[in-house]
Amino acid sequence: MKRYKPREWELWSLVNGVTNQRGERRFRRILLSGARGTGKTTAGMKAGAVYSVTLHEESSVTELIGHWVPQGQAFTWHDGVMTRAWKEGSGVVINEIDKASGSVLTQLYAFLDDPEVARLTLPNGETIRPREGFFVVATMNGEWEDLPLPLLDRFDIRLRVRAPHPDAVEKLEPQFRELVVGAYSVDDPVITYREVLAFQQLSEALGQSEVAAEIVFGERANDVLNSLRIGQREEGTEEGEE
Amino acid sequence: MVNKETRGEERRAETLMPELILPGDWDKGEGFGQVRMDVTPRIIRAPRKGDPYSTYVRAHEYGHVKWSPLSVPKVESELLSFAIGACEDARINNLLLDLGVETPVRELRERVIRQVKEVKRGVRKLSRGDQFILTSIAVSIGAWVSRDAQRVAERVLEEAGLQEEEKTVVRDVMRIMYNGMGSFETTLRGARILAALFGEEKDEEEGGSLRTRVKDGGGVEVVKEKDKRGTADSLSGRMTIVTHRRELNNAPTRRVRRRMSDVGMWVKRPDRILTDGRVFEERMRGDWEGTILIDYSGSMSLTPQDLDRVARVSGRATVAAYSGRSDYGELHILAEGGRRVREVPKSLVGNVIDVPALRWLVKRRGERVWVTDEEVTGKDDWVYPIITAACKGIVRRGRVRVVRSVEEAIRMVEGGRTKR
């Protein structure tokens, strides 16, 4: 197998290495899209993010901005994750950004505005702006063109991640690497990196690859095992012919 | 919102995984077993079930992906082309056996016996062409060292009614295919011997029998006479479910649901502070749940754009369209789980597979909608009263809502949950 070195992860390293004069990261709004199990969230957290939020259709803007909580006869204000990150100058990983509802996406326009001009007045009357050090790594499984254009435009860097991170693939035995590379050659992998890693570890622990495959891959087990066997076997020799 | 059945189907769809052998884009679909690697995207058709025979067929096709040449050399003789297909199948089966992937003999025997019956159809003396087809079936079984498989092959040779010396030649071909499984050259060698055995009768094979013919790229097709008697299933075309690479549906329905909560930003019901404390209102989006099956035949006069409009507003619902031609049809999944296809395929013009398509629909969870003009047909796009009756029965028993136009379906989806 030739050396596994996906281009997108090389670009990711380059982007993270670009800093301003004070040594802080230059690019603060990054969008990573790609198949599950490629390591997008891990990459964001390794980049130094403190907070992580996963959006879905029923997420509300209160998770990002904050909300009132009744306490006795009064209400007290609790900051949401983005508000906190702005105030502290921390990094946030926003998972599944494409799954967010329209109102949440629109609210993100404000949170992802250019840091120089970004301002937000909270329902409690406080006006905040992002402190130095604030950054966002947003991840999604779909195509980033499906995000509203104004939101998409706010990301300084957009990277499509099609293959798992090389550090992760390095952990696999050569035959399993082939399997992962093949699986991620399409947009919607039939098996994921996490499954293959679990299969390798379980096979080693149990010493029975059939059982390990059954546990990890369920009804796909036979196909994965057959693919593994067939993939490793080059055509036979001509020995014994007639 | 994705129901269990949808998730189950996704898992079944995932059982086709040729990219693990040959990375890249593949057009995957349900079928008896076929691979084409000389086109982009490459094509694979195989059964997706989990039974031993289907699993074996998939492994066999993966074997072709790994060991067969990207394109089979063109030969002038159809006979030789068919023989190449049979011998290559044998080589793949032998390689699989060598890897420990055993042929499921019991299922193979049943299938082969069915094929033999289809070819013979009660005829005592077979034409030379039919003898060749049966011989090819016997050869393609391969797995010459497996006694059980060998017995099946011998049984087929008996049915073919070959002379003893001819059988000896065929057995030699089988042996060659096993001993030389390492290269495609062996396949060509075996195929030439096989074709030569039947070559003298070439004219008769090509023109004499209308009941069987050799398909493009190998494989045998049994051409049946038109018979209006039969069941709704036997008179319907064969259905292939085609799943495409789907992109995210960026235009889901925007029906808004409201829910009261004890935390939030907007106080809507201050009076509730005294009761359950749920004074805040949360707004959420909700989608229509169910499956829309669209009759994509010519009589509906639908364009790919019409179908795309339905897929765009489908939210997390499933949208499928079907059409057919001759004795087969395709059911395309256009949208599912919030994703929709990039490009809607063209119609095959006829209906042909109304019955299997409806049977597929009624197995789906959630609401079921059929967009149709109710002009249903079977093989060769003929109207069969039994098929019309069967469709009505399936609709009634399966509680399928019938709508006449895509506009009506769109209104229904955008309006949220429908009432029956």
Side-chain angles (χ1 to χ4, degrees):
Chain A
M1 183 186 179
K2 62 182 179 187
R3 196 170 161 228
Y4 176 71
K5 204 176 171 187
R7 181 71 177 148
E8 56 265 45
W9 288 117
E10 285 185 351
L11 299 177
W12 166 257
S13 301
L14 292 175
V15 166
N16 278 316
V18 179
T19 55
N20 62 18
Q21 288 173 335
R22 289 189 296 277
E24 289 157 340
R25 68 166 47 242
R26 171 73 184 80
F27 297 106
R28 295 192 188 187
R29 297 162 297 181
I30 301 171
L31 177 62
L32 298 179
S33 71
R36 61 194 188 279
T38 47
K40 302 182 294 294
T41 303
T42 308
M45 297 309 285
K46 280 190 173 173
V50 174
Y51 296 109
S52 173
V53 60
T54 300
L55 300 178
H56 49 85
E57 289 153 342
E58 300 195 355
S59 296
S60 65
V61 290
T62 58
E63 289 177 45
L64 305 182
I65 299 183
H67 56 267
W68 295 103
V69 177
Q71 280 191 339
Q73 296 298 307
F75 291 104
T76 49
W77 176 257
H78 283 238
D79 286 335
V81 64
M82 293 300 284
T83 303
R84 251 184 287 165
W86 262 32
K87 286 179 175 176
E88 296 168 7
S90 306
V92 185
V93 174
I94 303 177
N95 295 307
E96 314 291 351
I97 191 170
D98 55 323
K99 299 286 193 309
S101 62
S103 55
V104 170
L105 290 175
T106 310
Q107 188 60 56
L108 282 172
Y109 292 6
F111 279 117
L112 297 177
D113 243 337
D114 296 334
E116 298 76 33
V117 297
R119 297 280 188 285
L120 188 68
T121 302
L122 302 174
N124 64 359
E126 183 186 2
T127 298
I128 58 171
R129 52 162 303 185
R131 276 185 61 177
E132 197 70 54
F134 165 77
F135 73 93
V136 165
V137 176
T139 73
M140 58 188 282
N141 293 133
E143 300 289 332
W144 33 259
E145 287 85 347
D146 293 316
L147 290 178
L149 280 177
L151 182 61
L152 194 63
D153 189 47
R154 280 164 165 77
F155 287 102
D156 306 309
I157 303 289
R158 288 166 278 183
L159 284 177
R160 288 182 208 273
V161 181
R162 296 192 193 280
H165 196 284
D167 290 350
V169 174
E170 274 298 307
K171 291 180 190 168
L172 299 172
E173 299 288 334
Q175 70 271 27
F176 297 123
R177 282 181 216 161
E178 300 266 7
L179 218 53
V180 166
V181 170
Y184 283 90
S185 66
V186 297
D187 287 347
D188 196 7
V190 290
I191 53 172
T192 66
Y193 167 76
R194 290 188 189 98
E195 287 177 319
V196 176
L197 181 62
F199 173 52
Q200 176 179 302
Q201 291 168 342
L202 203 54
S203 298
E204 284 168 5
L206 301 177
Q208 300 178 70
S209 57
E210 280 83 6
V211 178
E214 191 183 345
I215 293 168
V216 175
F217 299 112
E219 58 196 24
R220 295 164 298 160
N222 282 328
D223 285 78
V224 175
L225 283 174
N226 286 340
S227 300
L228 201 55
R229 290 175 186 138
I230 293 166
Q232 286 177 271
R233 161 79 187 246
E234 295 307 323
E235 285 175 309
T237 60
E238 301 287 330
E239 68 184 50
E241 185 166 357
E242 291 180 286
Chain B
M1 262 179 236
V2 182
N3 62 45
K4 281 181 186 168
E5 184 173 301
T6 307
R7 281 201 293 266
E9 290 201 353
E10 282 295 331
R11 276 205 300 276
R12 277 203 292 279
E14 285 170 355
T15 54
L16 275 177
M17 42 188 79
E19 67 270 22
L20 299 188
I21 311 283
L22 186 59
D25 276 338
W26 284 85
D27 175 356
K28 303 173 186 178
E30 185 89 22
F32 293 120
Q34 184 203 356
V35 163
R36 274 199 70 182
M37 292 180 285
D38 57 342
V39 290
T40 307
R42 301 178 188 104
I43 298 169
I44 185 163
R45 297 283 181 267
R48 282 174 156 150
K49 290 180 192 159
D51 61 280
Y53 190 76
S54 300
T55 306
Y56 183 78
V57 173
R58 289 197 294 277
H60 177 91
E61 300 310 324
Y62 301 157
H64 278 301
V65 172
K66 176 72 181 179
W67 300 308
S68 292
L70 287 177
S71 61
V72 177
K74 282 190 178 167
V75 288
E76 285 190 6
S77 154
E78 270 190 302
L79 198 74
L80 180 57
S81 169
F82 189 56
I84 289 172
C87 289
E88 183 65 352
D89 280 345
R91 188 172 76 97
I92 299 298
N93 289 342
N94 288 332
L95 278 161
L96 288 176
L97 185 72
D98 208 41
L99 281 177
V101 183
E102 289 189 21
T103 316
V105 177
R106 192 168 56 84
E107 291 85 352
L108 174 79
R109 188 185 302 116
E110 287 168 10
R111 189 175 162 78
V112 164
I113 288 171
R114 268 203 310 277
Q115 284 180 323
V116 169
K117 278 183 183 165
E118 276 189 356
V119 174
K120 291 186 82 170
R121 294 188 80 207
V123 177
R124 279 191 189 163
K125 180 152 172 53
L126 290 176
S127 71
R128 195 67 178 150
D130 287 341
Q131 280 187 320
F132 167 68
I133 287 162
L134 290 185
T135 306
S136 298
I137 290 171
V139 170
S140 70
I141 291 169
W144 187 241
V145 290
S146 155
R147 284 208 175 278
D148 290 335
Q150 201 175 339
R151 271 190 218 111
V152 178
E154 282 293 338
R155 162 104 189 253
V156 180
L157 280 186
E158 280 302 316
E159 297 282 356
L162 297 186
Q163 309 270 336
E164 265 315 307
E165 55 269 30
E166 288 176 325
K167 284 184 193 167
T168 307
V169 174
V170 175
R171 287 187 196 112
D172 278 346
V173 171
M174 291 172 168
R175 206 167 292 118
I176 288 170
M177 294 317 303
Y178 178 71
N179 289 334
M181 62 180 141
S183 83
F184 185 70
E185 283 303 313
T186 316
T187 294
L188 292 178
R189 191 172 155 213
R192 283 194 195 105
I193 297 170
L194 201 58
L197 187 64
F198 292 88
E200 289 170 15
E201 303 293 328
K202 190 178 159 195
D203 290 343
E204 186 192 332
E205 200 280 332
E206 286 181 345
S209 172
L210 282 176
R211 293 189 293 108
T212 53
R213 67 184 169 91
V214 177
K215 287 194 292 187
D216 293 343
V220 62
E221 192 169 66
V222 178
V223 184
K224 290 177 181 167
E225 293 149 14
K226 198 163 279 153
D227 185 355
K228 293 192 100 176
R229 289 171 302 175
T231 64
D233 288 315
S234 70
L235 293 172
S236 293
R238 182 168 35 88
M239 183 172 87
T240 300
I241 298 175
V242 185
T243 50
H244 301 263
R245 206 170 67 178
R246 277 165 262 154
E247 67 185 6
L248 188 79
N249 189 342
N250 59 356
T253 51
R254 295 281 176 187
R255 190 162 62 91
V256 173
R257 285 193 285 133
R258 293 181 169 81
R259 182 173 72 182
M260 299 309 290
S261 170
D262 55 1
V263 296
M265 280 172 54
W266 300 283
V267 177
K268 288 284 176 184
R269 294 280 306 276
D271 55 301
R272 288 175 74 156
I273 191 87
L274 300 170
T275 54
D276 58 1
R278 295 176 185 271
V279 297
F280 298 99
E281 183 185 88
E282 273 191 300
R283 294 176 181 198
M284 293 167 298
R285 203 180 69 207
D287 291 338
W288 183 84
E289 295 172 58
T291 305
I292 301 171
L293 176 68
I294 302 172
D295 169 358
Y296 193 22
S297 64
S299 63
M300 293 290 289
S301 306
L302 294 174
T303 63
Q305 290 73 29
D306 290 325
L307 268 58
D308 188 51
R309 280 195 296 133
V310 185
R312 274 177 179 275
V313 299
S314 61
R316 301 189 69 78
T318 302
V319 179
Y322 70 93
S323 59
R325 178 189 297 159
S326 178
D327 64 345
Y328 73 97
E330 290 174 350
L331 185 145
H332 294 265
I333 310 289
L334 303 178
E336 194 167 45
R339 288 170 181 269
R340 70 168 203 281
V341 294
R342 290 177 197 280
E343 200 173 329
V344 175
K346 287 183 179 168
S347 166
L348 294 176
V349 182
N351 287 61
V352 183
I353 54 164
D354 295 281
V355 169
L358 275 173
R359 289 204 200 287
W360 171 85
L361 177 65
V362 297
K363 284 183 190 159
R364 315 279 307 178
R365 295 245 176 112
E367 294 184 47
R368 300 150 189 158
V369 175
W370 183 28
V371 183
T372 179
D373 54 7
E374 292 189 271
E375 287 179 19
V376 295
T377 65
K379 284 178 184 170
D380 294 325
D381 213 19
W382 279 33
V383 176
Y384 299 89
I386 195 168
I387 283 183
T388 309
C391 288
K392 283 182 179 165
I394 296 169
V395 164
R396 192 181 63 251
R397 286 191 302 276
R399 299 168 68 198
V400 175
R401 178 179 166 146
V402 178
V403 300
R404 291 280 173 179
S405 65
V406 292
E407 282 71 26
E408 203 177 329
I410 290 170
R411 278 198 299 276
M412 193 188 62
V413 171
E414 289 185 328
R417 186 163 284 276
T418 51
K419 299 273 187 296
R420 274 203 189 88

